[in-house]
């Protein structure tokens, strides 16, 4: 018998979370769960007594021209997966409760949100930092488990929890990939079958960068050029390719094993991201 409790009321979740007496692990998600999400849930289960997962497709992190309406959703399937993993609470708030009509407050992290995904999605991180702040206040966790798949996001959120003195520790977890290397993403569902090869150009780019570095290449510019070629010749369209310092997210000219290759590309109408270090 599953013990998963589904909660859609902010007040009810806050009443419960005000009295946590044991270590609470939290995994915020937008649902349509895959093995990447489940790896975070498993890490939370291993580390914490109580596990809360949220499913909320946060409208404020999507620009009007983005894929909010077509973002994949399947609540019943997600719920079943979380029951199987013996998650304690599934928090599933409503838009009208998260952003009531008179909503006015936004959280912003400067600098770290300007480049990379922030360039083509200038309002995205404000939506992410705001919703995660709200979720932390509602769920009151000790630890939050997040994927390195969204490397800029986790970097921004680590800065935010430190700067705003949130009493939560963010634990970064490795990227989970399909057998062929494609980083798992809910958006992969929207890929057409003929686009799979194009989508693979992202993970192949990370491999290419590692190989070039292993063979002695340290010029960021040259590695980036080769990645542009690889992605564009696959039929996908580069949004950006950068090699950055993993802490400051600033561009590096000469790379080392800790440098982070971060990229985004459009595969048809689907925008995918990937990243990796050069180790
Ligand atoms: P999302 O539902 O896309 O908002 O993602 C929720 C959480 O799952 C975030 O912390 C993501 O970084 C993480 N995540 C998404 N895809 C993966 C993946 N392939 N491997 C590891 N973590 C992931």
């Amino acid at each position: 018998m599953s013990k998963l409790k589904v909660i859609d009321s902010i007040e009810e979740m806050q009443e419960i979370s005000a009295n946590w007496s044991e270590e609470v692990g939290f995994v915020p998600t937008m649902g349509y769960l895959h093995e990447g999400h489940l790896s975070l849930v498993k890490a939370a289960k291993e580390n914490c007594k109580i596990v809360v997962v949220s499913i909320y497709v946060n409208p404020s992190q999507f620009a009007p021209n983005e894929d909010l309406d077509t973002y994949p959703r399947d609540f019943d399937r997600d719920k079943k997966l979380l029951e199987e993993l013996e998650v304690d609470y599934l928090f599933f708030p409503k838009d009208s409760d998260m952003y009531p009509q008179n909503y006015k407050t936004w959280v912003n992290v400067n600098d770290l949100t300007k480049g990379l995904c922030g360039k083509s999605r200038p309002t995205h991180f404000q939506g992410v930092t705001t919703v995660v702040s709200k979720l932390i206040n509602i769920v009151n966790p000790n630890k939050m488990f997040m994927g390195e798949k969204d490397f800029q996001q986790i970097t921004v959120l680590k800065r935010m929890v430190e700067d705003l003195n949130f009493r939560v520790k963010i634990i970064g977890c490795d990227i989970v990939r399909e057998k062929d290397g494609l980083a798992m993403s809910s958006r992969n569902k929207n890929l057409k079958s003929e686009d799979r090869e194009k989508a693979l150009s992202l993970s192949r780019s990370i491999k290419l960068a590692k190989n070039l570095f292993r063979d002695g290449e340290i010029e960021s510019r040259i590695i980036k050029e080769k990645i542009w070629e690889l992605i564009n010749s696959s039929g996908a369209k580069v949004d950006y390719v950068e090699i950055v310092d993993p802490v400051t997210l600033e561009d590096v000219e000469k790379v080392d094993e800790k440098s982070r290759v971060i990229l985004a590309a459009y595969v048809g109408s689907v925008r995918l991201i990937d990243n990796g270090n050069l180790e």
Side-chain angles (χ1 to χ4, degrees), residues 27-31 33-37 39-40 61 71 145-150 153 173-177 183-187:
V27 182
T29 82
M30 298 206 298
L33 303 178
H34 50 66
E35 284 299 326
H37 297 115
S39 73
L40 307 180
Q61 69 191 67
Y71 197 86
F145 294 81
M146 313 199 90
E148 292 201 336
K149 154 90 189 319
D150 299 86
Q153 169 172 285
C173 301
D174 288 344
I175 302 176
V176 178
R177 297 178 179 280
M184 289 196 183
S185 163
S186 306
R187 289 188 167 95

Side-chain angles (χ1 to χ4, degrees), residues 17 28 83 120 126 168 186:
S17 72
E83 275 166 352
S120 48
Q126 173 182 281
V168 63
S186 306

Side-chain angles (χ1 to χ4, degrees), residues 9-245:
S9 144
I10 294 177
E11 287 72 23
E12 189 185 351
M13 189 74 243
Q14 277 186 311
E15 260 165 44
I16 295 169
S17 72
N19 297 312
W20 297 132
S21 56
E22 289 169 304
E23 182 136 275
V24 178
F26 177 40
V27 182
T29 82
M30 298 206 298
Y32 208 75
L33 303 178
H34 50 66
E35 284 299 326
H37 297 115
L38 301 184
S39 73
L40 307 180
V41 174
K42 287 173 194 161
K45 289 282 300 179
E46 275 164 28
N47 280 275
C48 302
K49 260 269 164 356
I50 299 172
V51 174
V52 184
V53 176
S54 64
I55 295 182
Y56 183 56
V57 183
N58 172 37
S60 75
Q61 69 191 67
F62 290 80
N65 61 331
E66 292 181 345
D67 59 348
L68 176 62
D69 292 341
T70 55
Y71 197 86
R73 298 163 209 240
D74 189 341
F75 181 78
D76 292 339
R77 179 176 155 278
D78 288 348
K79 180 167 165 252
K80 203 159 156 270
L81 289 168
L82 297 176
E83 275 166 352
E84 281 165 14
L85 288 182
E86 301 188 337
V87 166
D88 300 286
Y89 296 94
L90 166 53
F91 181 52
F92 182 61
K94 301 185 190 72
D95 284 343
S96 55
D97 290 338
M98 290 295 271
Y99 298 104
Q101 267 194 347
N102 53 353
Y103 192 85
K104 300 282 182 220
T105 305
W106 300 97
V107 177
N108 274 293
V109 173
N110 290 346
D111 299 340
L112 294 173
T113 54
K114 293 281 173 286
L116 307 169
C117 286
K119 226 177 219 163
S120 48
R121 306 185 76 190
T123 57
H124 171 70
F125 286 109
Q126 173 182 281
V128 171
T129 45
T130 300
V131 81
V132 173
S133 300
K134 287 168 71 71
L135 289 169
I136 293 171
N137 283 335
I138 296 164
V139 173
N140 188 23
N142 304 93
K143 292 186 176 150
M144 196 156 60
F145 294 81
M146 313 199 90
E148 292 201 336
K149 154 90 189 319
D150 299 86
F151 193 82
Q152 186 175 16
Q153 169 172 285
I154 202 169
T155 307
V156 167
L157 290 172
K158 279 182 177 167
R159 183 78 261 143
M160 180 190 83
V161 300
E162 200 178 322
D163 288 353
L164 294 183
N165 311 100
F166 282 116
R167 291 179 62 188
V168 63
K169 187 168 188 295
I170 295 182
I171 317 280
C173 301
D174 288 344
I175 302 176
V176 178
R177 297 178 179 280
E178 305 278 0
K179 276 206 188 75
D180 59 10
L182 181 66
M184 289 196 183
S185 163
S186 306
R187 289 188 167 95
N188 292 351
K189 172 175 191 283
N190 291 342
L191 290 172
K192 302 203 172 80
S193 54
E194 66 267 26
D195 284 339
R196 185 83 183 185
E197 275 297 303
K198 298 178 194 169
L200 285 175
S201 67
L202 280 84
S203 53
R204 285 178 182 152
S205 295
I206 308 295
K207 271 210 194 107
L208 172 67
K210 285 180 196 273
N211 288 342
L212 288 166
F213 177 66
R214 195 197 52 214
D215 294 344
E217 184 58 75
I218 59 158
E219 290 292 336
S220 174
R221 184 181 54 81
I222 292 178
I223 299 175
K224 287 193 283 189
E225 267 171 27
K226 299 212 156 133
I227 292 177
W228 269 84
E229 268 168 41
L230 191 158
I231 295 179
N232 285 338
S233 68
S234 79
K237 191 171 160 293
V238 172
D239 178 15
Y240 68 84
V241 176
E242 300 294 352
I243 307 180
V244 300
D245 176 281

